[in-house]
Amino acid sequence: MHRHRQPGTEPCPPAAPRLMPGPRRRPNTPLRTALLEDQLRIFCRNYGWQVLANLAVATACLILFARPVPTLGKTLWWLGLATNGILRFFPTSLLRPDQGIDDCERRRRLVAHLFVDGLLWALLILAVPHPRGGINPPFLVAIVTGLIAGPIPFLSVLAGGYEAFAIPPVLALAWREFMGHRGPMGLAMGLAIVMLQIVATKVARLNGVAVRERILRDFRLRGLLRRSKRREAAVHTLLEASPDLIGLLDNDGRWQLANRAMLEAFGFKHEDLIHVDPEQVLRTAQDIPTRDSLGSFMRTGPAGPLREEILLRRTHTTPRVLDLLRCRLPGTVGGGSLLIGRDITIHRRDALARQLRDRLTDASLRGESPETALGAVLDSIAEHLDLLWIAMTRIGDTGTPTSVAQGGRLRLDPQTALTLALTPADPPYRIVYPLTHNGRHYGTIAYRPTVPEALSQEARKWLAQIAWDISSVCELDATQTRLRTLAHFDELTGLPNRAHFLHLLGAAIEEAAHTDALQAILFIDLDRFKDINDSFGHAAGDRLLLEVTARLRRTARTGDIVGRLSGDEFAVLLRDAARMEDIETVIARFLAAMRSPVRIDTDQVTTQASIGITVFPFDDSDPQGLLRHADLAMYEAKRQGRNRWSLFEPSLDRATRDRQILQKKLSKALAEDLFILHYQPQIELRTGRIAGMEALLRWRDPDEQPQSPEVFVPIAEESGLIVPLGEWVLQEACRQQGRWMQQGITLQIAVNLSPTQFQDPEIHHRVCEVLRTSGTAMHHIALEITERAAFADPARARRTLDAWCKRGLQFAIDDFGTGQASLSYLTDLPAALIKIDRAFIAPLPEDSQHRAIVAGVIHMAHQLGRPVLAEGVETMDQWEWLKAQGCDLAQGYVIARPMPAEAVPDWLATWLRDLSLSHEQGIVVTSAQTAPSSRRTIA
C-alpha cells in the first residue's frame, strides 16, 4: 500500500488513447441476415408492380376528375408521375447481391429512396393549384394511393419503409387542404387526412409483422428440412461406406434397411431383401449354407442386447466369421431389431495361429507329443476354412517322422496321414507346405479343401504364413529340446546331471516308500584325476571320463541310475536291493572296474576311485540329504587312503556341521579382530645369538577355549578365508616390527604364507605393497613357504622368489621333508633357509633312521649353501645332537614357548642378561653387553 506516497516520486503510466465511439451495430446473426434476405427478395419481386399500380390509379383519377385543372397543372402532374416512375425503378440495382454491400446497408438505402419518393409526391401535391368549388384531384389521388399502398404487404416488409413513403405526401396534402378551405372546414379536412393515414400506417405495420413472422417460420421450416436431408444423406453415406454389416428388421422380421456390406455378404439385391416376407427371403437364398447363416443372422434375440459369433457360410466361398450384435428397439421408435455384424475373420485366424504356436510351444516345453495338444486347434482351422482334412507332421534329426496331428471331418490312421502329408502335393486337391527354417527341415503341414475352388487366395496365403510361423516355432522347439537336454543331461557323457539325478532319486524314493527294498546311493570320485588331466591334457581327460562312464553303465544293474554330478564325480542309484550284502557286491564290481588300466593314445593310465555310500531309508529321506551324506562318506574313504569305499556314519555329519560352525566363527572373528600374533624365538645353535622371531597366529575366542591353529587353519584354507587372514598376519607383523623399532629392538620377523596365498599371481605386488605402506624394511621380514606350495609350480615359484631376492626380501622353505617334491628342485630355487619339520626332530636322538635323515638333510643343505633350522626342539639332548651335526638354527620349547608381543622385550632382556647356560644344559650364549644400553640390537 502506498497511501502516503509523495507526488512525483513515481511516474504515472501513460493514459491509453481514447477511441472515437463508433456506430452501434446489432450483431448480424445468421437468422436476422436470412430474414433481411427474404424481405428484400419479396420487395424486389413486387416493387415494379406497385409502381405500375400507382401510375394507373393516378392516371385514372386525372382523366376522370381533373377537368377543371389547368393545362399547366396537368403538365406538372404528368412530369411528376413520369419522374416518380423512373425513380422507382432505380432501387432494383440495390437488390442485387453483387453490389458489395451487406443487407442492412441495402435496407437503409431502400428506406431512404422511399422517403425521396414520398417527398416527390409531396412536391406534386403542393405544386398543383387548388381549384375553387371543385374536386381536388391531388387529394383524391393521394387518398386512393395511400389506401391502396398501405395494406400492400410488400411495401411494409421493410421496417420503416411505408412510413418513409407516406408521411411526406400526407403532411403536404393536409397542409394544402387546410390552406385551401381555411377555417373549420380546412382544419377538419387536414385532421381527417392525418387520421386516415395513421390508420393506414397501423395496417401497414400489422401487415409487416405478419409477413416477417411468416418469413421466419418458412425460413425455420426450410432449415429443418435442409438439415434433415443433409443428415439423411450423411447417414446413408456412412451406412454404405461402413465395412460392417448393418440391418434393420421390423417386428414381423421384414428387412427395413440393409447396407451394401450386408447385401454383398449374403449375395442379395436391394429389391430382393427390403420389405420382403422373411420366409420368401429364405426361400430365395441361393444355397443351403447361405440360408442357414442368414437364418441365424435374422433370428430374434431377447429384449436386451445380445452378442455372439456366427460363421457365415456360402457355397463356393471361404467361410467368414462375424461378430454379431443384436438389440431390440423400443416401441417409441417403431420397434424391430437392429443387427450389426463385423467381419472378424482376420482376427479369428490370427487367434488360431497364435493358439497353434502356443500349443506347440507348451508341448515342446513340457516334452509332450503334439498329437493331442494340436488336434483341437487343427479342427477349428478346418472348420473356419471349410477344410476336409488338415495334418501337421514332425520330422526328427535323423529325418524319420516322429509325430502327426490331424484335424477336420476326415480322420485317417496315422500311417496314412504321414504318407499323405510327406508325399508331394497334388494341387488343388491336396496342398503341402514344408516346415523349413534356416535350411533345416522340421516337417510339413498338409490340407485338403472340401471344395478346392471355394478356398480363397487369401486363405491359402494365410495357411502358408502359418506354415512359416510354425517353422520358426519348430526351430524354437529344437532349441528347447537341446536346452532341455543340456539342463537335465551331461553334455559330454550323456548321463543325468546333478539336478536330473536328484529328480530321479526323489521319484525312486517315493516309489520305495511303500516297500521294504533298500535304495543305495553311491558317490564316486576318481582319485588323482587332476594329475591325469594336467599331465595328458583336457582332451585325454574327457576320453578317460567317457571310458569311466561306459564302465559304470556296464557294471550297473538293470534299473540302476548312473549320473555325472560334476568334473570327476559320478553317482549311482542302486535300486531295490534286498540286503546290504547285495550292495557290497555291486560296489566291489565298481571298484574292480575302475582299477583296470585305460589306454589314452599310446599311454596306459591307471585310475582308481573312492566311493561313499548312503542307504535309504536308514540315513535320510531327502534326496539332497542322501547325496550330501554319500559325499561325506566319499571324503572319509579318501582320508582312509583312497581306492576304497566308506559307509556313511552320523559322526561324519556332525564333524561337517562342526566345521561349518567353525567356519562361521572364523568369519566373525576376522571381522571383529579377534586374532592375535604370538612370537617364538629362532636361536643360533653355535653362539646362542637370537636370529629372529616367527609370527604364529592365535585365535582369542571369548566364548570357548583357545582354538589350535592345527584346527582352524585347514578350515580357513578350505573356505578361502586364509587369504584375508594371511594378509592380516603380514600387516600385523609389520606394525609390530614398527612398535619394536620404537622401543629400540631390531628383530627379523618370519611370517608364514599359505599355499593359497603363494599361488595368487599378485602375491609379489601384495607383499611389496604391505611393506611399503607400513614402512618396514625388506630385510626385517622373512617369508616362510611350505614345501608343497614352493614345488607345486617350480617355474612360477622361481620367478616370484627371484623378484623378492632382488628387493632384499628373505624367505624359508617350511616343513621340509613332508612333501613329495623332487630334491632336484632345490637347485632351481634361490638361496633360502631350510626348516626341517618337527616330525623328523621329535624322535631324535634315539631313532637311528631319523638321525640319518636329519644328518643327510643338513649335509645336503650345507653343500647347496643353504642354512638349516630345526623346528620343535624340546630337549637338551636334541639341542646337543643338532649342534654336533652342524645345524645352524633351532626353534622350540627348549628355548621359549610362543609369547605375545608384550612379553618379548622382557624375555629378550632375560636372555641377554644370561652370559651362559647352566652346566647341566651345556650351552654357551654370547654376551651382548657391549651394545649401548639405550638400544638392543638382536640380529
Side-chain angles (χ1 to χ4, degrees):
M1 300 294 292
H2 303 282
R3 300 179 58 183
H4 305 289
R5 184 170 54 197
Q6 295 296 327
T9 58
E10 183 177 352
C12 298
R18 299 183 61 185
L19 301 177
M20 295 298 294
R24 298 181 63 186
R25 298 182 180 180
R26 290 182 296 174
N28 191 16
T29 61
L31 182 60
R32 184 168 176 270
T33 301
L35 180 61
L36 286 175
E37 289 178 354
D38 281 2
Q39 290 174 342
L40 293 174
R41 192 178 302 110
I42 293 175
F43 191 88
C44 176
R45 187 169 59 247
N46 296 284
Y47 189 73
W49 298 104
Q50 189 263 346
V51 171
L52 294 178
N54 284 348
L55 290 175
V57 171
T59 303
C61 290
L62 287 174
I63 292 173
L64 295 176
F65 304 106
R67 292 188 183 91
V69 177
T71 304
L72 180 60
K74 291 180 180 180
T75 303
L76 292 174
W77 263 85
W78 283 109
L79 289 174
L81 290 174
T83 304
N84 182 271
I86 294 171
L87 290 175
R88 288 201 175 188
F89 279 102
F90 285 161
T92 57
S93 64
L94 299 175
L95 301 178
R96 295 196 300 269
D98 57 350
Q99 297 301 311
I101 56 177
D102 60 0
D103 295 335
C104 292
E105 184 64 24
R106 290 161 61 191
R107 182 185 65 80
R108 284 194 295 269
R109 293 189 182 186
L110 286 174
V111 172
H113 180 79
L114 291 176
F115 181 71
V116 173
D117 193 9
L119 288 177
L120 180 62
W121 276 96
L123 292 175
L124 291 176
I125 291 172
L126 294 175
V128 177
H130 188 278
R132 294 183 177 274
I135 299 176
N136 190 354
F139 173 77
L140 180 61
V141 171
I143 294 300
V144 173
T145 304
L147 291 176
I148 295 175
I152 291 178
F154 70 83
L155 191 58
S156 58
V157 292
L158 295 179
Y162 178 74
E163 291 84 347
F165 172 74
I167 290 175
V170 170
L171 293 178
L173 183 60
W175 172 258
R176 183 183 177 103
E177 291 301 320
F178 175 74
M179 296 299 296
H181 291 86
R182 302 283 181 174
M185 184 62 181
L187 181 60
M189 291 295 291
L191 292 176
I193 291 172
V194 171
M195 294 301 295
L196 184 61
Q197 189 59 42
I198 290 174
V199 173
T201 301
K202 183 64 176 177
V203 173
R205 288 182 177 178
L206 293 176
N207 286 335
V209 171
V211 169
R212 284 192 292 272
E213 289 293 335
R214 188 176 69 250
I215 291 173
L216 182 60
R217 184 173 62 252
D218 293 344
F219 171 76
R220 289 173 176 171
L221 290 176
R222 289 196 303 271
L224 290 174
L225 183 60
R226 285 194 301 269
R227 287 194 296 271
S228 176
K229 289 182 179 180
R230 286 197 297 268
R231 290 173 182 170
E232 183 179 357
V235 171
H236 179 74
T237 303
L238 179 63
L239 291 177
E240 292 300 318
S242 174
D244 298 338
L245 282 65
I246 302 176
L248 182 65
L249 277 71
D250 59 13
N251 292 324
D252 297 330
R254 291 184 175 87
W255 289 87
Q256 302 297 317
L257 176 67
N259 66 343
R260 183 178 58 187
M262 176 77 74
L263 298 175
E264 291 177 354
F266 293 103
F268 277 91
K269 295 181 180 179
H270 186 272
E271 57 272 13
D272 296 336
L273 187 64
I274 305 301
H275 304 299
V276 180
D277 184 78
E279 297 298 330
Q280 183 178 353
V281 170
L282 295 177
R283 284 196 301 270
T284 56
Q286 298 178 358
D287 47 63
I288 295 177
T290 303
R291 186 182 310 158
D292 296 339
S293 300
L294 186 61
S296 177
F297 199 83
M298 295 170 57
R299 186 173 61 250
T300 303
L306 174 64
R307 188 171 184 175
E308 60 178 334
E309 290 185 7
I310 67 171
L311 192 63
L312 179 62
R313 295 177 177 273
R314 289 180 57 189
T315 304
H316 305 298
T317 304
T318 305
R320 314 291 293 180
V321 183
L322 299 180
D323 183 11
L324 176 62
L325 176 65
R326 313 167 185 269
C327 58
R328 297 291 297 274
L329 300 178
T332 55
V333 295
S337 300
L338 176 64
L339 306 179
I340 301 176
R342 174 166 294 180
D343 191 343
I344 60 171
T345 304
I346 296 178
H347 300 288
R348 181 55 57 198
R349 289 177 181 175
D350 292 342
L352 287 174
R354 186 167 53 254
Q355 187 178 5
L356 185 63
R357 292 193 300 268
D358 293 344
R359 292 284 183 88
L360 184 59
T361 303
D362 291 343
S364 172
L365 292 176
R366 297 175 183 176
E368 301 175 353
S369 177
E371 288 89 345
T372 56
L374 303 182
V377 184
L378 293 178
D379 284 335
S380 299
I381 293 176
E383 180 183 6
H384 281 79
L385 297 181
D386 196 16
L387 302 178
L388 183 64
W389 170 78
I390 183 172
M392 189 185 80
T393 62
R394 294 295 306 277
I395 298 176
D397 296 337
T398 60
T400 58
T402 58
S403 63
V404 59
Q406 300 184 67
R409 298 189 300 272
L410 181 62
R411 293 291 179 173
L412 303 174
D413 61 274
Q415 188 59 41
T416 304
L418 282 172
T419 303
L420 290 177
L422 296 176
T423 53
D426 183 19
Y429 304 104
R430 183 171 52 84
I431 310 298
V432 178
Y433 294 119
L435 302 179
T436 305
H437 198 269
N438 291 334
R440 184 175 178 182
H441 189 52
Y442 297 101
T444 60
I445 287 183
Y447 65 90
R448 181 173 183 176
T450 303
V451 180
E453 298 79 6
L455 191 62
S456 64
Q457 192 66 26
E458 176 192 3
R460 297 177 187 272
K461 290 181 179 179
W462 179 73
L463 286 169
Q465 181 65 32
I466 280 186
W468 190 89
D469 292 342
I470 294 301
S471 300
S472 60
V473 175
C474 290
E475 184 180 34
L476 176 62
D477 177 33
T479 305
Q480 291 288 348
T481 303
R482 174 69 173 168
L483 292 176
R484 186 167 54 251
T485 302
L486 294 177
H488 295 90
F489 295 91
D490 178 60
E491 185 176 9
L492 176 64
T493 62
L495 296 175
N497 57 13
R498 177 184 291 269
H500 194 43
F501 182 83
L502 287 173
H503 174 72
L504 298 175
L505 177 59
I509 290 174
E510 290 182 1
E511 294 179 4
H514 307 288
T515 64
D516 297 332
L518 303 179
Q519 312 293 321
I521 296 89
L522 278 58
F523 199 107
I524 304 174
D525 184 85
L526 301 182
D527 296 335
R528 298 185 176 87
F529 174 75
K530 184 178 182 301
D531 298 338
I532 300 174
N533 215 12
D534 295 341
S535 301
F536 297 95
H538 292 284
D542 291 344
R543 290 197 293 272
L544 176 61
L545 292 176
L546 290 174
E547 178 61 26
V548 169
T549 300
R551 293 182 181 185
L552 291 177
R553 282 175 167 168
R554 288 195 300 266
T555 307
R557 306 169 305 165
T558 303
D560 293 343
I561 299 173
V562 180
R564 183 189 179 194
L565 304 181
S566 65
D568 59 340
E569 295 178 346
F570 295 84
V572 179
L573 172 61
L574 302 180
R575 304 190 60 178
D576 303 332
R579 300 172 303 169
M580 284 297 300
E581 290 78 5
D582 299 336
I583 297 175
E584 294 175 2
T585 302
V586 177
I587 294 173
R589 292 205 303 266
F590 277 120
L591 289 174
M594 293 295 104
R595 295 191 187 101
S596 301
V598 178
R599 177 172 292 277
I600 299 177
D601 296 333
T602 58
D603 299 321
Q604 278 196 349
V605 177
T606 301
T607 181
Q608 298 174 345
S610 299
I611 302 177
I613 307 167
T614 185
V615 180
F616 172 81
F618 300 146
D619 295 334
D620 202 339
S621 60
D622 177 58
Q624 291 279 5
L626 288 170
L627 198 60
R628 184 172 59 85
H629 291 172
D631 189 13
L632 294 176
M634 183 271 298
Y635 278 107
E636 180 62 22
K638 284 185 176 292
R639 281 192 290 269
Q640 292 176 4
R642 306 177 187 270
N643 190 27
R644 65 189 65 218
W645 61 273
S646 176
L647 185 64
F648 171 75
E649 297 291 341
S651 59
L652 298 176
D653 194 17
R654 287 193 296 270
T656 302
R657 295 183 185 277
D658 292 341
R659 285 196 298 271
Q660 293 175 351
I661 294 173
L662 190 58
Q663 178 182 338
K664 294 180 180 178
K665 289 184 177 181
L666 277 174
S667 301
K668 182 179 179 182
L670 185 60
E672 298 178 357
D673 196 16
L674 298 179
F675 292 99
I676 60 173
L677 292 182
H678 282 195
Y679 299 90
Q680 190 174 29
Q682 296 175 344
I683 304 297
E684 291 184 1
L685 286 172
R686 185 176 59 84
T687 64
R689 182 171 175 266
I690 302 175
M693 293 280 184
E694 181 180 4
L696 301 175
L697 184 64
R698 295 294 183 264
W699 180 8
R700 299 176 301 182
D701 192 347
D703 300 331
E704 299 180 5
Q705 296 295 328
Q707 298 285 350
S708 173
E710 286 77 8
V711 175
F712 67 81
V713 169
I715 296 177
E717 288 274 3
E718 294 176 3
S719 62
L721 292 174
I722 195 63
V723 175
L725 193 57
E727 291 183 1
W728 180 88
V729 169
L730 181 59
Q731 294 171 358
E732 180 62 23
C734 292
R735 287 192 291 266
Q736 186 59 48
Q737 176 68 261
R739 288 192 287 266
W740 282 340
M741 292 286 289
Q742 293 176 1
Q743 299 176 17
I745 301 174
T746 303
L747 286 174
Q748 186 186 63
I749 301 178
V751 178
N752 290 278
L753 286 184
S754 70
T756 305
Q757 282 183 282
F758 189 69
Q759 292 170 4
D760 184 2
E762 301 294 328
I763 186 60
H764 172 69
H765 302 289
R766 292 180 185 274
V767 171
C768 294
E769 180 65 20
V770 171
L771 295 177
R772 185 191 63 81
T773 304
S774 63
T776 305
M778 292 287 181
H779 62 276
H780 287 163
I781 295 293
L783 301 179
E784 294 188 359
I785 307 162
T786 62
E787 179 187 8
R788 179 168 60 91
F791 298 134
D793 188 353
R796 196 178 69 81
R798 176 62 184 264
R799 290 193 300 269
T800 303
L801 296 178
D802 283 342
W804 283 342
C805 289
K806 290 179 182 178
R807 289 179 174 267
L809 189 65
Q810 300 179 18
F811 64 94
I813 305 298
D814 197 8
D815 299 336
F816 187 82
T818 60
Q820 298 178 354
S822 173
L823 294 177
S824 62
Y825 288 156
L826 285 174
T827 60
D828 297 332
L829 297 179
L833 175 68
I834 295 177
K835 297 183 68 173
I836 302 176
D837 189 77
R838 66 180 67 248
F840 298 98
I841 304 301
L844 296 177
E846 291 81 7
D847 193 299
S848 59
Q849 293 182 352
H850 284 80
R851 288 200 308 267
I853 293 175
V854 173
V857 170
I858 294 173
H859 179 71
M860 177 191 64
H862 286 168
Q863 292 297 321
L864 295 175
R866 313 291 174 88
V868 180
L869 183 147
E871 291 184 298
V873 179
E874 299 182 357
T875 66
M876 294 305 301
D877 294 338
Q878 294 172 348
W879 178 288
E880 293 293 342
W881 188 87
L882 290 170
K883 181 179 179 182
Q885 298 300 320
C887 184
D888 302 289
L889 302 167
Q891 176 182 349
Y893 287 174
V894 72
I895 302 171
R897 289 179 175 272
M899 66 191 77
E902 297 80 5
V904 170
D906 294 339
W907 181 87
L908 287 175
T910 302
W911 181 269
L912 293 176
R913 280 197 303 266
D914 295 337
L915 299 179
S916 62
L917 298 177
S918 64
H919 293 289
E920 289 95 11
Q921 295 172 337
I923 298 178
V924 178
V925 181
T926 302
S927 175
Q929 291 181 349
T930 58
S933 60
S934 61
R935 181 177 182 86
R936 297 187 295 271
T937 303
I938 300 107

